[in-house]
Amino acid sequence: MNAQPPAGIALSINGEATSIMAPPATRLSAALRDSLGLTGTKTGCDAGDCGACTVLLDGAQVCACMVPLAQAEGRAVTTIEGFSATRWGRALGASFLAHGAAQCGICTPGMVMAAAELLAETPAPDEAAVEAALGGVLCRCTGYRAITEAVLAAHRFLDAPPAPAPEDDAVGARLARIDGPEKLDGSALYGADTAPADALWLRPIRSPHAHARFRLGAAPPGVTLLTAADVPGRNGFGIYPHIKDQPVFCAHTALYRGDCVAALVGAREAVLAAELPIEWEPLPALDMAAARAPGAPLVHAHLPGNVLTTGRVISGTPATATHSADIAIRTGFVEHAYIEPEAGYAERIGDQIKIFASTQAPYMDREEVAGVLGIPQEDVRIIPSACGGGFGGKLDVSLQPMLAVAAWKLGRPVRAVYGRPESMAASTKRHPARIQARAGCDAQGRLTHFDFEGDYDTGAYASWGPTVAGRVPVHASGPYRVPAVRAQARAIHSHNPPSGAFRGFGVPQAAIAQEALWDMLADKAGLDRLEFRALNALRAGDTSATGQRLEHSVGLLACLDALRPRWRELRAAAAAANAAGGGALRHGVGVACMWYGIGNTGMSNPSTMRLSLAPDGRLEFRNGAVDIGQGSSTVLAQIAAQALGLRVADLHHINGDTFLTPDAGKTSASRQSFVSGRAAMEAGLALRAAILRRANAGPDAALELRQGVLLVDGAALALSETLHGEGSFDPPTIPLDANGQGIPYACYGFAAQIAALAVDTRLGTIHMQRIVAAHDVGRAINPTLVEGQIHGGIAQGLGLALMEEYIPGRTENLHDYLIPSMGDVPEIETFLIEDPEPLGPYGAKGVGEPALVATAPAIFSAIRDATGAVITRVPALPYRVLEAIARV
Amino acid sequence: MDRYFRPRSLAEALDILAEHTPRPLAGGTDLYPALTGAEAWGPRPALDWMDISGLSALHGIEAAEGGLRIGALVSWTQIATAALPPALAALQQAARQVGGRQVQNRGTLLGNLCNASPAADGVPPLLILDAEIELASAAGTRRLRLGDFLRGNRATARRPDELAVALHIPPPPEAESRFEKLGTRRQLVISIVMVAGLLRLEAGRVAEARIAVGACSAVARRLPGLEAALRGAAPGDVAGIIGGATLDPLTPIADIRGTAEYRLSAARTLVARSLGA
């Protein structure tokens, strides 16, 4: 007779009775994911801080990461997989897609399940009810407004027929994102969502000290210890070809808290429970101030003064200034806080290695893995998972090298998933900056000069430090006519976490100082702050401080023109509110502008896209650009289809697989719409030309794919072989010389934003009321996605301004490190300015980073308007706001 | 080796506690995050938990002794949505601001007290109600005033063999209380300072003031000096009295959320606002 099966914990999942064999304290989220394969429930923090794992337990929303499986016994659990197939689930899904409410998609299941509880009670809720119900889920991409709108409108999507292929998918259409449906039903596979069944688990061992020598003991039996000695190739990686300074495993000395010294590999439970003896010898740790002090010890022996890189722009001779102003500011580390922590697996296949992981830069990952293993790049296959947010933080490799080493050495698939504290301690950050700047203008308010000195704490390893030091001086004087500029930025090593790429590469910090000076100068010159900026704004035909003549697509004045009516209205409203006397509240309105070079700084950054049409009518789009939520898959498809003259729905997508897709470069520097977009356009035009040649048709011929048959002007065209179209683009630039002269970027994005707020002058708290944003994007390929970028950038800018400050060892979670929650983001109004860029696809430029840069300066401008206080310490936490007010 | 006890009756639970002293687990909203923190830098610690969710005796809010008895398994959502006297308004306002709805649906008021964070939002609203905690053990039960139960940062008077089974609120004053929470963001935020206040007027004068301030000392504190100073005051004088008062028992520290001076100043502002002054 068969033995009785062991009794599991019985419960109902999505209406089906089931039983789970797992210990009673198992987190419900883990049981759903690991035992049942229901990976639509995401894990973002395992601490109830992010809400990504929200499910319904007997109809009530709960964080599944804090529910012991035992407490679900006999109860009904509803997950995204079940709910998305229900009447309300379909309605919410359709509304989310229509509103652009899902970007990277990692918070989407949690948002939808939180909404599910609300809508079951209140089918047509108001905004306050939505905020109360969904406020427990954090989103890092959308700025929340689209999510709120989607939930408010969900009832209007009830029982709507399944959407047919949208009729309007041309460039400029608000096409719903093409990778949206799998984000709404939980089927999209992120880094932690899949791995070979026999994969071993890897747990990195990290230094709890900012600087320490160490000696490793032996791993317990059954667990493999990997150390520096196990790295078969170069034990180092880094963004720059000549700076591979970050070890996979430190050899003997850790240089920051979170530095990886070893890894344990084996069966999951054994690895989690294993104790590795380590002798630590803590050493003195340098912060940036100590690292700059004369005679300071060196973080890296070959870098005198701990200076990694210095970038500068020097141009012009200052004219006499009538008014002058100066400022010194200090900013903190900012954490990317993507809701998906790093995760993935590696698998050795013969002499090749395959890596499936969350990334923004598959081709750079390929290079790093090849270097670490000492094998040719062609033998490294990088398959990006769905990416649950990046913002620059997943441009550097994280777990890819160590997974590769483990899988290579052990011949078994190996997977790893970072926990939230580990993700925060180990990953790169936005550079903290100490900036001194001064500027002057003449009696009419025309700028005469701008001087800028910025020290950026680049932490223990180089990462993107040189990029920041290079990009900052170019942008430091802002999108203005400044006859004389002296700007210098240095990247300084310390024993802090490596600072890398974060939406704006140091420019947002610089813009805070620069825009504050403009407010001071405007006041001294007796000019309205917006008009001061308009007076000095760059125009087409002007020459920048790097000596670049800007011929086209300089839409800053148009942005300011769009804002001007709102500026006046909001200023009048604030004045009226202040005159009425609001007790502790003082109202203010601020304005700030920005510019941002699209693509790499004075460096080649090509992209290639490929299309093919097979005789059976299969139209393939091979697109190696990683869609990290911003929507490049959709935008590039719209461009390619438009150029080709076929429909987006006709495309079969092959995305980001270094064995299958050509190199599109990294998803960074706001470059995909511009650089890869142009490549997609060229690919579309090339395939179209091939088809037209084959059909002997004229350039205006209409193409159609109908059930696998290609029609040219209505006549079927049989293909005997597959036709190809490939397009490449590399934006033309000229590297900067020693004084920062050259053509660093082929084009620039421009924007101006207004912030309206009230300051509680007793508590120092900021009550955001409204942001109005005008962005010159050249051409909005997909306005919904562009607005999504702007909203998300504003939310991150607001976080940078008011709350975000990463402190190693102190804020390694999402309750001590605060990112904006749903109620923090005010109403946002956007104006899309389309001053076409001739090099861009259909005129398009980038918007990813430009979205963020102006927000913090606009908020600080408004705080100063309300109170007179100049914010010099960022973030402007309530106590710092009160201190700034006290200095007035 | 993990231990996870699941008693089905209070008696069984108290026996388990007497013998094994595991950590009581209700909604899990503090224990799981603590576990995440503990396993971040080393091997996962062994669990030693007693799940009290199956103890039906610990459910419910009921009238008792002229006041209220709140069971150990009562969640924040149940507090927020119950029909309660106006003096408990501060408690209900706090209940809507603890974490997100997910935490409110699972986390318990008693758990918040037992966790004993200096920033526990449940404490000030209960201090102004003179609430008592009922602790049960195999040896019997005892009641402690909340102020005596909370001993310090993460420290309580609960013995390892005891279970906090209920909260007792004596007949509350006929006045509406108010909760003022100060944080750096709107949702999901640990308080920088929070205040619960209540003012009962008789014949146009303050007959009674009750004020408690959290996150300005290791344990939230009532302000007896200020309460006494306000007694008999005309409503128009309340703001001035608060402005000139020494907030004696408060000993705020500086941390990442604010300086000590800032906390004191914010506490004074929030005390005034909680009293409508």
Side-chain angles (χ1 to χ4, degrees):
Chain A
M1 293 295 289
N2 290 338
Q4 282 286 88
I9 291 173
L11 68 168
S12 155
I13 308 271
N14 297 323
E16 284 192 26
T18 187
S19 172
I20 300 177
M21 282 296 304
T26 306
R27 300 171 191 267
L28 178 59
S29 51
L32 291 168
R33 293 175 56 85
D34 302 339
S35 299
L36 301 179
L38 294 174
T39 54
T41 299
K42 303 303 179 189
T43 299
C45 70
D46 268 340
D49 297 325
C50 77
C53 66
T54 299
V55 300
L56 301 185
L57 186 61
D58 287 342
Q61 58 166 313
V62 300
C63 286
C65 74
M66 300 192 296
V67 176
L69 175 61
Q71 289 191 14
E73 184 168 34
R75 302 174 73 179
V77 175
T78 310
T79 71
I80 188 71
E81 288 90 348
F83 178 72
S84 60
T86 66
R87 182 166 172 261
W88 269 111
R90 286 191 297 270
L92 265 170
S95 188
F96 264 59
L97 288 178
H99 286 88
Q103 287 192 23
C104 85
I106 197 78
C107 77
T108 306
M111 289 287 183
V112 168
M113 296 314 296
E117 180 197 50
L118 170 71
L119 296 174
E121 283 276 313
T122 314
D126 61 13
E127 194 172 327
V130 172
E131 189 182 310
L134 276 70
V137 190
L138 295 177
C139 170
R140 192 57 155 164
C141 294
T142 65
Y144 300 103
R145 305 303 303 186
I147 293 172
T148 303
E149 295 298 324
V151 177
L152 289 172
H155 63 94
R156 292 199 269 109
F157 289 80
L158 274 176
D159 306 319
E167 285 309 307
D168 189 5
D169 60 4
V171 162
R174 291 181 177 272
L175 183 69
R177 57 181 315 129
I178 59 175
D179 56 350
E182 59 263 37
K183 293 178 173 178
L184 266 308
D185 66 14
S187 63
L189 294 177
Y190 295 81
D193 292 343
T194 186
D198 60 339
L200 299 172
W201 282 78
L202 178 147
R203 175 159 73 89
I205 305 298
R206 299 184 181 279
S207 171
H209 304 287
H211 188 201
R213 265 191 290 272
F214 62 88
R215 189 172 312 198
L216 300 172
V223 173
T224 303
L225 173 67
L226 295 178
T227 70
D230 295 302
V231 178
R234 178 191 63 219
N235 184 20
F237 57 83
I239 297 306
Y240 282 78
H242 62 292
I243 319 178
K244 300 294 178 188
D245 60 345
Q246 184 161 359
V248 181
F249 304 117
C250 300
H252 45 74
T253 307
L255 297 185
Y256 75 101
R257 176 180 160 89
D259 214 350
C260 191
V261 301
L264 297 174
V265 187
R268 186 180 196 177
E269 286 309 316
V271 163
L272 289 179
E275 189 103 46
L276 178 69
I278 307 176
E279 270 178 53
W280 295 103
E281 181 196 341
L283 300 169
L286 301 175
D287 62 12
M288 184 165 70
R292 287 172 56 206
L298 298 180
V299 177
H300 297 283
H302 63 287
L303 293 173
N306 291 310
V307 177
L308 168 63
T309 325
T310 302
R312 64 175 64 83
V313 169
I314 296 170
S315 72
T317 315
T320 310
T322 309
H323 305 290
S324 59
D326 60 87
I327 191 170
I329 68 157
R330 189 174 157 196
T331 73
F333 280 108
V334 184
E335 155 68 21
H336 301 84
Y338 27 74
I339 304 300
E340 180 208 23
E342 294 78 354
Y345 71 86
E347 187 172 14
R348 180 174 183 167
I349 301 162
D351 285 335
Q352 297 185 326
I353 189 101
K354 179 174 101 177
I355 311 263
F356 173 87
S358 186
T359 182
Q360 296 178 241
Y363 287 86
M364 291 167 67
D365 294 357
R366 180 177 69 164
E367 188 188 326
E368 300 286 25
V369 168
V372 161
L373 293 185
I375 63 174
Q377 288 192 38
E378 294 65 36
D379 289 335
V380 178
R381 181 178 193 177
I382 302 288
I383 302 177
S385 69
C387 181
F391 320 113
K394 290 176 183 167
L395 286 168
D396 301 70
V397 288
S398 54
L399 41 59
Q400 295 91 340
M402 61 179 95
L403 286 174
V405 168
W408 194 257
K409 190 175 162 75
L410 301 175
R412 291 271 302 274
V414 180
R415 70 186 300 191
V417 179
Y418 285 6
R420 176 59 57 182
E422 176 175 25
S423 171
M424 295 183 77
S427 67
T428 62
K429 304 282 170 278
R430 180 184 295 287
H431 285 70
R434 284 170 183 265
I435 293 169
Q436 293 197 315
R438 54 178 191 264
C441 67
D442 64 18
Q444 286 72 45
R446 284 184 300 254
L447 289 166
T448 52
H449 68 280
F450 176 80
D451 294 347
F452 176 100
E453 282 270 339
D455 277 355
Y456 284 70
D457 184 349
T458 210
Y461 299 109
S463 180
W464 294 85
T467 311
V468 168
R471 201 175 254 274
V472 166
V474 173
H475 292 82
S477 51
Y480 304 97
R481 296 166 154 174
V482 190
V485 172
R486 300 180 66 85
Q488 174 172 290
R490 299 193 296 178
I492 310 285
H493 275 305
S494 70
H495 292 115
N496 274 324
S499 297
F502 191 160
R503 214 169 185 171
F505 286 106
V507 176
Q509 297 95 306
I512 289 168
Q514 166 256 308
E515 288 290 323
L517 291 179
W518 282 198
D519 277 2
M520 298 175 195
L521 291 175
D523 286 359
K524 289 182 176 178
L527 287 175
D528 173 275
R529 287 170 287 147
L530 184 142
E531 301 306 339
F532 179 91
R533 287 167 169 84
L535 174 70
N536 288 293
L538 284 172
R539 290 140 166 90
D542 284 349
T543 300
S544 74
T546 70
Q548 177 180 5
R549 192 175 144 86
L550 304 170
E551 302 281 1
H552 308 283
S553 193
V554 185
L556 182 56
L557 276 181
C559 291
L560 289 167
D561 288 343
L563 293 187
R564 193 173 282 109
R566 295 289 183 275
W567 172 249
R568 290 178 178 157
E569 292 161 25
L570 290 167
R571 295 263 294 146
N578 287 335
L585 290 184
R586 291 288 303 174
H587 298 258
V589 186
V591 62
C593 302
M594 61 71 58
W595 68 332
Y596 199 80
I598 307 302
N600 288 3
T601 309
M603 247 191 270
S604 169
N605 63 132
S607 174
T608 299
M609 295 276 140
R610 212 170 276 154
L611 285 161
S612 61
L613 179 60
D616 63 358
R618 181 179 165 90
L619 176 63
E620 273 186 6
F621 182 32
R622 295 189 179 230
N623 165 10
V626 183
D627 192 330
I628 60 173
Q630 87 284 27
S632 61
S633 292
T634 306
V635 163
L636 297 176
Q638 281 179 272
I639 292 170
Q642 172 101 1
L644 179 56
L646 287 170
R647 305 289 307 279
V648 169
D650 295 330
L651 296 171
H652 293 266
H653 299 270
I654 295 178
N655 286 87
D657 175 336
T658 60
F659 273 18
L660 300 178
T661 52
D663 187 350
K666 64 212 189 309
T667 295
S668 159
S670 305
R671 60 182 290 281
Q672 293 295 19
S673 288
F674 175 59
V675 182
S676 290
R678 174 70 184 269
M681 185 178 93
E682 298 295 341
L685 293 175
L687 179 57
R688 179 177 175 85
I691 291 169
L692 297 183
R693 267 196 307 278
R694 178 80 180 68
N696 222 358
D700 298 328
L703 305 187
E704 190 185 348
L705 261 178
R706 196 183 292 166
Q707 276 126 32
V709 178
L710 176 66
L711 304 178
V712 180
D713 280 334
L717 175 70
L719 298 179
S720 52
E721 59 184 8
T722 297
L723 300 180
H724 297 277
E726 182 173 294
S728 292
F729 181 60
D730 190 5
T733 60
I734 296 174
L736 301 176
D737 67 17
N739 284 330
Q741 300 300 296
I743 298 183
Y745 310 102
C747 70
Y748 297 80
F750 294 88
Q753 293 184 3
I754 296 173
L757 52 77
V759 181
D760 185 323
T761 55
R762 304 245 164 77
L763 296 176
T765 48
I766 307 299
H767 301 257
M768 293 299 305
Q769 293 165 336
R770 199 167 189 200
I771 300 274
V772 190
H775 282 255
D776 169 22
V777 298
R779 177 79 185 274
I781 302 293
N782 184 322
T784 299
L785 296 175
V786 171
E787 287 160 6
Q789 286 299 290
I790 293 172
H791 282 216
I794 286 169
Q796 290 185 358
L798 188 152
L800 166 69
L802 299 180
M803 64 186 77
E804 298 192 33
E805 185 167 33
Y806 177 79
I807 301 168
R810 182 62 190 84
T811 63
E812 291 161 358
N813 58 59
L814 292 176
H815 54 265
D816 289 314
Y817 185 84
L818 301 181
I819 66 171
S821 58
M822 184 171 252
D824 292 301
V825 182
E827 188 187 335
I828 297 171
E829 184 181 11
T830 54
F831 294 94
L832 300 184
I833 307 299
E834 298 184 310
D835 188 338
E837 165 53 49
L839 286 173
Y842 303 102
K845 307 187 279 193
V847 71
E849 289 157 290
L852 177 147
V853 179
T855 307
I859 289 172
F860 296 148
S861 174
I863 292 173
R864 180 175 175 275
D865 183 44
T867 64
V870 177
I871 298 297
T872 55
R873 187 73 205 277
V874 180
L877 298 173
Y879 79 93
R880 292 177 182 159
V881 172
L882 276 200
E883 288 172 355
I885 290 174
R887 285 195 299 267
V888 174
Chain B
M1 191 60 190
D2 290 346
R3 294 199 300 188
Y4 191 93
F5 299 96
R6 296 178 71 190
R8 293 294 159 190
S9 72
L10 183 56
E12 187 191 346
L14 298 182
D15 286 344
I16 290 169
L17 275 176
E19 193 177 342
H20 303 288
T21 66
R23 189 93 195 264
L25 162 76
T29 57
D30 285 314
L31 291 191
Y32 278 101
L35 177 63
T36 299
E39 63 192 0
W41 293 89
R44 183 171 82 69
L47 304 180
D48 192 13
W49 290 351
M50 181 178 75
D51 181 347
I52 62 169
S53 65
L55 306 183
S56 55
L58 306 187
H59 285 289
I61 305 172
E62 56 201 46
E65 303 163 21
L68 292 168
R69 182 182 191 276
I70 298 176
L73 291 173
V74 170
S75 70
W76 290 111
T77 296
Q78 288 171 297
I79 296 282
T81 55
L84 298 175
L88 276 71
L91 182 65
Q92 294 190 291
Q93 289 157 14
R96 292 190 183 90
Q97 296 177 64
V98 173
R101 193 54 63 80
Q102 297 89 334
V103 167
Q104 294 162 19
N105 283 344
R106 293 274 306 159
T108 62
L109 178 58
L110 270 279
N112 187 248
L113 305 180
C114 291
N115 188 53
S117 161
D121 284 330
V123 176
L126 291 170
L127 283 178
I128 64 166
L129 296 170
D130 293 326
E132 293 182 352
I133 254 192
E134 180 184 338
L135 297 166
S137 69
T141 65
R142 60 175 179 147
R143 281 202 203 176
L144 288 177
R145 292 168 57 93
L146 181 56
D148 297 327
F149 172 74
L150 298 168
R151 288 281 174 81
N153 185 1
R154 310 273 171 188
T156 72
R158 184 184 74 86
R159 296 193 313 264
D161 67 326
E162 284 182 315
L163 185 66
V165 294
L167 193 73
H168 293 267
I169 297 175
E174 298 276 333
E176 184 162 342
S177 63
R178 189 143 109 193
F179 184 68
E180 294 282 345
K181 172 168 174 145
L182 171 62
T184 305
R185 71 176 172 190
R186 186 73 166 268
Q187 279 103 18
L188 309 173
V189 66
I190 296 171
S191 300
I192 304 171
V193 179
M194 70 287 198
V195 173
L198 170 155
L199 216 52
R200 186 169 60 80
L201 301 181
E202 270 176 24
R205 293 271 162 180
V206 174
E208 185 182 15
R210 299 186 183 193
I211 305 156
V213 178
C216 285
S217 38
V219 173
R221 301 293 298 266
R222 287 279 288 266
L223 302 184
L226 178 57
E227 291 179 8
L230 288 169
R231 217 166 290 134
D237 296 335
V238 169
I241 293 170
I242 294 168
T246 54
L247 303 177
D248 260 351
L250 302 184
T251 52
I253 57 162
D255 67 4
I256 56 169
R257 299 181 185 99
T259 59
E261 301 73 32
Y262 172 76
R263 280 203 162 82
L264 264 191
S265 138
R268 191 181 304 279
T269 299
L270 295 174
V271 165
R273 291 181 187 177
S274 76
L275 299 180

